[in-house]
Amino acid sequence: MAPNSAASLPDLAVSIKGLVKRYAPNKGQAEGKLALDHVDLAIPRGGIFGLLGPNGAGKSTLINIMAQLVRKTEGSVKIWDIDLDRDPRHAAAAIGVVPQELNIDPFFTPKALLDLQAGMYGVPKAERRSMELLEALSLADKADAYARTLSGGMRRRLMVAKAMVHNPPVLVLDEPTAGVDVELRQQLWAYVRELNAQGVTILLTTHYLEEAEELCDQIAIINNGKVIACEPTAKLVSRLDTKEVLLTLGADLASVPAALTPFAAELKDARHLKLHYRPSDTRFATVLDAIRSTGIEIVDLTTVETDLEDIFLELTRRQPAA
Ligand code: ADP
Ligand code: MG
């Protein structure tokens, strides 16, 4: 199912509404884990979309529901406009999934594995492109090797090839760079970008902001089974582009000196002043010069950088208590 005639292309590659997953309780548990708590997600066609969240957030659960490996509790999932409940077979044909857990049969060769997978999807022999995929993922020289001799990074790339055998318009990668070294990571990303340039919509999960930032044009943050942010990458990252400077003063201060107002200065109490600046457009020296110009006596100075943890905390704090 190649992305083809423009007229029939959906606006959304994936549309998820009110998705709930509660796992079955373990022995002795009254209630199973609520892994997804009414998730809504609209993934536009044509982009690279990042699903970012800490371990245990619910990312794999969401992916595995899309891949029909996990049964949802409630809600609706449409892939390429095809409802998972109404037409699971066509929904499956529209998506390729690289799962987080790599289970490769150790006795298959990469070439045989891809041929088999293509057969499972009913791809006619003449249209199979196992070697082409292996080449694209720098695995051609391993085509006939036993899968068990492949390194972690090679296995990951083989799984990407496997997910693409039926040429789906949507490719989903669950933590694609776990256990992949830096060089291979770059190769994998280059391939993902190339697929995207060819029109494949990409969804990837990661718990590294850096990875999402480098690849994705839009990022959703998921925490405790809830989507707590979903916005263009640049906008999300601009929230990160802020540093705090905390000053401990040697004498009481009654009000914020005018020279410090450009730094959104706040007087926490008479002896503590907090400033903010954006490292991308303001040098720390400029901040220091402004502080010196006021003549206030500084006993201590600390700077704090916002990181992903802070964003998670900030965003989760804003949520009404469950
Ligand atoms: P992530 O991929 O973001 O790390 P997961 O979707 O794997 O998160 O897990 C979300 C939550 O659901 C976690 O608390 C996890 O322990 C729980 N969970 C995942 N799979 C199962 C399962 N098969 N049975 C019970 N609980 C599960
Ligand atoms: Mg996971």
Side-chain angles (χ1 to χ4, degrees):
M1 192 192 265
N4 40 31
S5 66
S8 63
L9 295 180
D11 291 335
L12 294 179
V14 176
S15 165
I16 291 174
K17 289 198 181 119
L19 188 61
V20 174
K21 174 62 189 182
R22 190 182 285 283
Y23 284 105
N26 292 327
K27 261 195 194 130
Q29 271 184 325
E31 269 195 332
K33 170 79 189 174
L34 184 61
L36 295 175
D37 186 1
H38 295 91
V39 167
D40 293 327
L41 208 57
I43 301 178
R45 170 173 54 84
I48 303 185
F49 190 101
L51 187 63
L52 183 68
N55 281 326
K59 302 181 298 294
S60 292
T61 300
L62 186 89
I63 300 305
N64 291 338
I65 289 172
M66 291 169 58
Q68 303 183 42
L69 298 169
V70 165
R71 192 187 292 268
K72 64 187 165 62
T73 307
E74 260 178 54
S76 80
V77 176
K78 278 187 187 171
I79 297 161
W80 215 246
D81 249 358
I82 305 158
D83 190 294
L84 214 63
D85 293 328
R86 278 199 209 124
D87 192 353
R89 271 179 56 97
H90 282 105
I95 195 170
V97 179
V98 184
Q100 181 173 1
E101 307 300 337
L102 302 179
N103 34 18
I104 293 179
D105 189 317
F107 297 107
F108 276 102
T109 68
K111 172 82 167 53
L113 189 80
L114 297 191
D115 286 342
L116 186 74
Q117 181 79 357
M120 268 168 53
Y121 278 95
V123 180
K125 277 219 166 74
E127 288 170 29
R128 291 187 193 165
R129 30 185 214 115
S130 303
M131 277 317 293
E132 185 192 321
L133 283 166
L134 290 173
E135 254 150 46
L137 287 148
S138 315
L139 287 169
D141 58 333
K142 296 283 177 187
D144 300 313
Y146 278 129
R148 67 181 146 81
T149 65
L150 303 181
S151 69
M154 290 175 185
R155 284 173 196 221
R156 179 80 53 183
R157 283 177 288 142
L158 179 56
M159 294 301 273
V160 175
K162 189 178 163 199
M164 288 305 298
V165 292
H166 57 301
N167 207 17
V170 183
L171 176 64
V172 179
L173 304 127
D174 195 2
E175 311 247 0
T177 55
V180 177
D181 70 35
V182 176
E183 192 182 330
L184 296 180
R185 182 177 299 202
Q186 291 301 333
Q187 272 181 26
L188 188 63
W189 288 356
Y191 182 64
V192 163
R193 285 201 181 94
E194 191 187 310
L195 283 176
N196 181 245
Q198 289 165 13
V200 178
T201 302
I202 311 284
L203 167 63
L204 63 91
T205 76
T206 177
H207 55 270
Y208 300 114
L209 175 71
E210 204 181 77
E211 184 160 272
E213 195 184 332
E214 178 163 344
L215 279 174
C216 305
D217 35 55
Q218 195 165 340
I219 296 177
I221 295 183
I222 183 169
N223 193 26
N224 284 323
K226 288 194 171 103
V227 172
I228 53 178
C230 182
E231 50 197 76
T233 304
K235 203 170 152 201
L236 190 84
V237 168
S238 75
R239 293 207 227 173
L240 285 168
D241 181 27
T242 168
K243 268 195 179 181
E244 280 178 17
V245 182
L246 187 64
L247 302 175
T248 305
L249 311 176
D252 285 1
L253 194 66
S255 64
V256 173
L260 299 182
T261 51
F263 306 104
E266 306 165 57
L267 205 52
K268 308 303 283 179
D269 58 52
R271 293 286 179 109
H272 291 95
L273 192 60
K274 199 194 241 182
L275 312 181
H276 302 262
Y277 72 101
R278 299 167 72 89
S280 67
D281 61 25
T282 306
R283 291 184 318 130
F284 185 53
T286 311
V287 183
L288 277 182
D289 287 347
I291 294 170
R292 278 201 206 99
S293 77
T294 64
I296 53 181
E297 188 195 334
I298 309 297
V299 178
D300 190 26
L301 181 155
T302 54
T303 65
V304 185
E305 210 162 327
T306 341
D307 64 14
L308 190 55
E309 285 304 305
D310 296 335
I311 291 213
F312 283 141
L313 285 176
E314 192 194 316
L315 291 166
T316 40
R317 225 185 285 123
R318 269 195 232 136
Q319 275 183 185

Short mmCIF file of all heavy atoms in Angstrom, two decimals, residues 256-284:
data_model
loop_
_atom_site.label_atom_id
_atom_site.label_comp_id
_atom_site.label_asym_id
_atom_site.label_seq_id
_atom_site.Cartn_x
_atom_site.Cartn_y
_atom_site.Cartn_z
N VAL A 256 13.11 45.27 42.54
CA VAL A 256 13.99 44.82 41.46
C VAL A 256 14.62 46.04 40.78
O VAL A 256 13.89 46.92 40.32
CB VAL A 256 13.17 44.00 40.43
CG1 VAL A 256 14.03 43.68 39.22
CG2 VAL A 256 12.63 42.73 41.06
N PRO A 257 15.95 46.10 40.71
CA PRO A 257 16.59 47.22 40.02
C PRO A 257 16.19 47.25 38.54
O PRO A 257 16.06 46.19 37.91
CB PRO A 257 18.09 46.92 40.16
CG PRO A 257 18.20 45.92 41.27
CD PRO A 257 16.92 45.15 41.28
N ALA A 258 16.01 48.44 38.01
CA ALA A 258 15.53 48.61 36.62
C ALA A 258 16.42 47.87 35.62
O ALA A 258 15.92 47.29 34.65
CB ALA A 258 15.46 50.09 36.27
N ALA A 259 17.73 47.84 35.88
CA ALA A 259 18.66 47.21 34.94
C ALA A 259 18.40 45.71 34.79
O ALA A 259 18.85 45.08 33.84
CB ALA A 259 20.10 47.44 35.40
N LEU A 260 17.66 45.14 35.74
CA LEU A 260 17.43 43.68 35.69
C LEU A 260 16.05 43.30 35.17
O LEU A 260 15.74 42.12 35.01
CB LEU A 260 17.66 43.07 37.08
CG LEU A 260 19.08 43.26 37.64
CD1 LEU A 260 19.21 42.57 38.99
CD2 LEU A 260 20.12 42.72 36.66
N THR A 261 15.22 44.27 34.90
CA THR A 261 13.87 43.93 34.40
C THR A 261 13.89 43.18 33.06
O THR A 261 13.02 42.35 32.83
CB THR A 261 12.95 45.17 34.30
OG1 THR A 261 13.63 46.17 33.57
CG2 THR A 261 12.55 45.67 35.68
N PRO A 262 14.90 43.41 32.16
CA PRO A 262 14.89 42.61 30.92
C PRO A 262 15.07 41.11 31.18
O PRO A 262 14.84 40.30 30.29
CB PRO A 262 16.09 43.15 30.14
CG PRO A 262 16.44 44.45 30.75
CD PRO A 262 16.00 44.39 32.18
N PHE A 263 15.48 40.76 32.38
CA PHE A 263 15.72 39.35 32.68
C PHE A 263 14.60 38.75 33.52
O PHE A 263 14.82 37.78 34.25
CB PHE A 263 17.08 39.19 33.37
CG PHE A 263 18.20 39.81 32.59
CD1 PHE A 263 18.76 41.02 32.98
CD2 PHE A 263 18.66 39.20 31.43
CE1 PHE A 263 19.77 41.60 32.23
CE2 PHE A 263 19.67 39.78 30.67
CZ PHE A 263 20.23 40.99 31.07
N ALA A 264 13.43 39.35 33.40
CA ALA A 264 12.25 38.86 34.13
C ALA A 264 12.59 38.58 35.60
O ALA A 264 12.30 37.50 36.12
CB ALA A 264 11.68 37.62 33.45
N ALA A 265 13.25 39.55 36.21
CA ALA A 265 13.72 39.37 37.59
C ALA A 265 12.56 39.28 38.57
O ALA A 265 11.56 39.96 38.44
CB ALA A 265 14.64 40.52 37.97
N GLU A 266 12.71 38.36 39.52
CA GLU A 266 11.70 38.25 40.59
C GLU A 266 12.44 38.30 41.91
O GLU A 266 13.44 37.61 42.08
CB GLU A 266 11.01 36.88 40.58
CG GLU A 266 10.37 36.41 39.32
CD GLU A 266 10.09 34.90 39.44
OE1 GLU A 266 9.38 34.50 40.38
OE2 GLU A 266 10.64 34.14 38.60
N LEU A 267 11.90 39.06 42.83
CA LEU A 267 12.46 39.11 44.17
C LEU A 267 11.76 38.02 44.98
O LEU A 267 10.57 38.10 45.25
CB LEU A 267 12.18 40.50 44.76
CG LEU A 267 13.11 41.01 45.87
CD1 LEU A 267 14.57 40.92 45.49
CD2 LEU A 267 12.74 42.44 46.22
N LYS A 268 12.50 36.94 45.31
CA LYS A 268 11.86 35.84 46.04
C LYS A 268 11.62 36.28 47.48
O LYS A 268 10.58 36.02 48.06
CB LYS A 268 12.74 34.58 46.04
CG LYS A 268 13.22 34.15 44.66
CD LYS A 268 12.09 33.89 43.68
CE LYS A 268 11.39 32.58 43.93
NZ LYS A 268 10.28 32.41 42.95
N ASP A 269 12.64 36.91 48.06
CA ASP A 269 12.51 37.58 49.35
C ASP A 269 13.60 38.65 49.36
O ASP A 269 14.29 38.82 48.35
CB ASP A 269 12.64 36.58 50.52
CG ASP A 269 13.95 35.82 50.51
OD1 ASP A 269 15.02 36.46 50.43
OD2 ASP A 269 13.91 34.56 50.55
N ALA A 270 13.78 39.35 50.44
CA ALA A 270 14.69 40.50 50.45
C ALA A 270 16.13 40.13 50.08
O ALA A 270 16.90 40.97 49.63
CB ALA A 270 14.64 41.19 51.81
N ARG A 271 16.49 38.87 50.27
CA ARG A 271 17.88 38.47 50.01
C ARG A 271 18.06 37.54 48.80
O ARG A 271 19.16 37.06 48.55
CB ARG A 271 18.44 37.75 51.26
CG ARG A 271 18.60 38.63 52.48
CD ARG A 271 19.79 39.58 52.31
NE ARG A 271 19.96 40.45 53.44
CZ ARG A 271 20.96 40.37 54.34
NH1 ARG A 271 21.85 39.41 54.22
NH2 ARG A 271 21.05 41.22 55.33
N HIS A 272 16.96 37.22 48.11
CA HIS A 272 17.08 36.31 46.96
C HIS A 272 16.39 36.86 45.72
O HIS A 272 15.20 37.17 45.76
CB HIS A 272 16.51 34.93 47.30
CG HIS A 272 17.33 34.20 48.31
ND1 HIS A 272 17.04 34.24 49.65
CD2 HIS A 272 18.44 33.44 48.17
CE1 HIS A 272 17.94 33.52 50.30
NE2 HIS A 272 18.80 33.03 49.43
N LEU A 273 17.17 36.90 44.66
CA LEU A 273 16.67 37.45 43.41
C LEU A 273 16.84 36.39 42.32
O LEU A 273 17.90 35.77 42.21
CB LEU A 273 17.50 38.69 43.06
CG LEU A 273 17.01 39.60 41.96
CD1 LEU A 273 15.64 40.19 42.28
CD2 LEU A 273 18.02 40.76 41.78
N LYS A 274 15.80 36.18 41.55
CA LYS A 274 15.87 35.18 40.48
C LYS A 274 15.76 35.87 39.13
O LYS A 274 14.86 36.69 38.92
CB LYS A 274 14.72 34.19 40.66
CG LYS A 274 14.93 32.87 39.95
CD LYS A 274 13.64 32.11 39.88
CE LYS A 274 13.71 30.79 40.61
NZ LYS A 274 12.44 30.05 40.47
N LEU A 275 16.66 35.52 38.21
CA LEU A 275 16.64 36.08 36.86
C LEU A 275 16.45 34.96 35.84
O LEU A 275 16.78 33.81 36.12
CB LEU A 275 17.96 36.79 36.53
CG LEU A 275 18.54 37.77 37.54
CD1 LEU A 275 19.83 38.36 36.99
CD2 LEU A 275 17.54 38.88 37.83
N HIS A 276 15.94 35.32 34.68
CA HIS A 276 15.78 34.33 33.60
C HIS A 276 16.41 34.90 32.34
O HIS A 276 16.29 36.08 32.08
CB HIS A 276 14.30 34.08 33.31
CG HIS A 276 13.54 33.60 34.49
ND1 HIS A 276 13.27 32.28 34.72
CD2 HIS A 276 13.00 34.28 35.53
CE1 HIS A 276 12.59 32.16 35.85
NE2 HIS A 276 12.41 33.36 36.37
N TYR A 277 17.04 34.05 31.55
CA TYR A 277 17.49 34.49 30.23
C TYR A 277 17.51 33.31 29.28
O TYR A 277 17.44 32.16 29.69
CB TYR A 277 18.86 35.18 30.32
CG TYR A 277 20.02 34.25 30.57
CD1 TYR A 277 20.85 33.85 29.52
CD2 TYR A 277 20.28 33.76 31.84
CE1 TYR A 277 21.92 32.99 29.74
CE2 TYR A 277 21.34 32.90 32.08
CZ TYR A 277 22.15 32.52 31.02
OH TYR A 277 23.20 31.67 31.24
N ARG A 278 17.57 33.63 27.99
CA ARG A 278 17.57 32.59 26.96
C ARG A 278 18.98 32.46 26.41
O ARG A 278 19.47 33.36 25.73
CB ARG A 278 16.62 32.97 25.83
CG ARG A 278 15.18 33.13 26.29
CD ARG A 278 14.36 33.82 25.21
NE ARG A 278 14.14 32.93 24.09
CZ ARG A 278 13.12 32.10 24.00
NH1 ARG A 278 12.23 32.06 24.96
NH2 ARG A 278 12.99 31.33 22.97
N PRO A 279 19.63 31.33 26.67
CA PRO A 279 21.02 31.15 26.20
C PRO A 279 21.17 31.32 24.69
O PRO A 279 22.24 31.69 24.22
CB PRO A 279 21.35 29.72 26.62
CG PRO A 279 20.37 29.37 27.67
CD PRO A 279 19.15 30.18 27.43
N SER A 280 20.11 31.08 23.94
CA SER A 280 20.25 31.17 22.49
C SER A 280 20.41 32.61 22.01
O SER A 280 20.93 32.86 20.94
CB SER A 280 19.06 30.52 21.79
OG SER A 280 17.90 31.27 22.04
N ASP A 281 19.93 33.59 22.81
CA ASP A 281 20.08 34.96 22.33
C ASP A 281 20.76 35.90 23.34
O ASP A 281 20.98 37.07 23.05
CB ASP A 281 18.73 35.53 21.86
CG ASP A 281 17.69 35.57 22.97
OD1 ASP A 281 18.08 35.63 24.15
OD2 ASP A 281 16.49 35.55 22.65
N THR A 282 21.10 35.41 24.51
CA THR A 282 21.74 36.27 25.50
C THR A 282 22.95 35.55 26.09
O THR A 282 22.83 34.40 26.51
CB THR A 282 20.75 36.60 26.64
OG1 THR A 282 19.56 37.14 26.07
CG2 THR A 282 21.35 37.59 27.63
N ARG A 283 24.08 36.26 26.10
CA ARG A 283 25.26 35.65 26.70
C ARG A 283 25.22 35.84 28.21
O ARG A 283 24.72 36.85 28.71
CB ARG A 283 26.53 36.28 26.12
CG ARG A 283 26.76 35.91 24.65
CD ARG A 283 28.07 36.46 24.12
NE ARG A 283 28.28 37.83 24.59
CZ ARG A 283 29.40 38.26 25.16
NH1 ARG A 283 30.41 37.43 25.33
NH2 ARG A 283 29.53 39.51 25.54
N PHE A 284 25.79 34.89 28.93
CA PHE A 284 25.80 34.97 30.39
C PHE A 284 26.53 36.24 30.83
O PHE A 284 26.15 36.90 31.81
CB PHE A 284 26.44 33.71 30.98
CG PHE A 284 26.39 33.66 32.47
CD1 PHE A 284 25.18 33.82 33.15
CD2 PHE A 284 27.54 33.45 33.21
CE1 PHE A 284 25.13 33.76 34.53
CE2 PHE A 284 27.50 33.40 34.59
CZ PHE A 284 26.29 33.56 35.26
#
